[in-house]
Amino acid sequence: MKIAKVQARCLAVPIKFPFTEKPYTAGLMMVHVETDDGVVGTGVSRDQERFAVRELINREIGPFLLGKDPIDTEKIWGDAPWELGMSYMSRGGVIGHAVGAVDQALWDIKGQYANLPIYRLLGGASPTSVRAYTTWGFNVYTKEELAESAVKAVRERGHNPLKYQAVAADRGQDISVDVDRLRTVREAVGDEVQIIVDCNGKFDFSHAREFLRQIEPLNITCVDHPVYIRDIRMMVELRRCTSIPLAARAAGENQWDNRDLIASGAVDIMHANVLDGSGYTECVKVAHMAEMYHLPLGTGGGWYLQNGHLIAGVRNGLWTEFHTLREPIYEAIYVNPPIARDGYLPLPDKPGMGFEINEDAIAEYTEE
């Protein structure tokens, strides 16, 4: 079995923004990798840099893959730095996103070839479902919308934990807005619901430290990416200043940058994302490194259908991020995709990625 065709395309998917129902256009990149015996694997990349990712795959990675055996993922990515350039060793930025999308497709082919879901090929630690936390608290909501949507998420779907997205007012210099919004959410949902805070790397050290100090009484489950660019030295120091567990994935996303984040003692929960972190081939290495340091692995950055396989595959898998902004995207491009309820995401039992693509929708939403 050899790779015969690689095609990447960008999509613009019309959806409605969660809770507010406002029209919104979501972008993403999808790649199809086809073998000479007709097996097709797919992978996706997020909206940021999607056009650059598409061109990199179609013009550089695709031609490199032609004629190669898709089962040999370690050899493929081992050869890439020598055949394409040494930047493929560190796999940062656009290269990491492109490799991540293609690697998903290769593992999709592997699973179909072996007649097994990807999570079973990765180890099969959780054979039916994985724990899921729900990103619902978008920073574009008013405080009132935030509280109302939180209550709705808990009561109607049993979402728990909930993840809040920081506003970082005045470019991260005013923490009072986020503190007030989080107090409002805690009052709305009560003490039994777990709350995770995603700072998206928007605070400097001093403001992150003060923010964590002020929200400690709110019984926060963990804080994700509290400081700029996930600065490892600052994360280590910040962890000494708070009792709230900290989570992050390295800014470089590759195994070596993540190794430094883990070994430095900067995090209580290690995060990964197969879209940004060069796919399953790279992220499973990060998972095993985290396990050696007794750290659980979660995923951040959304795209739970792809990332759920990673968490279900490894023994230290903790949770995947069920993102309510991604849910309508998945509903548009897949046929009956699974959704999280009561804190768990069901897993497919079909081979490979396990989700049926809506080909008509892909054709309709493809953009030049």
Side-chain angles (χ1 to χ4, degrees), residues 46-63:
R46 63 179 67 251
D47 53 349
Q48 292 111 338
E49 303 171 335
R50 66 185 183 276
F51 295 105
V53 172
R54 179 190 66 184
E55 293 306 300
L56 183 61
I57 292 174
N58 287 338
R59 296 174 182 271
E60 191 165 292
I61 296 178

Side-chain angles (χ1 to χ4, degrees), residues 25-58:
T25 300
L28 73 150
M29 192 284 313
M30 177 174 282
V31 61
H32 289 68
V33 178
E34 184 175 347
T35 68
D36 54 5
D37 57 2
V39 180
V40 179
T42 62
V44 298
S45 183
R46 63 179 67 251
D47 53 349
Q48 292 111 338
E49 303 171 335
R50 66 185 183 276
F51 295 105
V53 172
R54 179 190 66 184
E55 293 306 300
L56 183 61
I57 292 174
N58 287 338

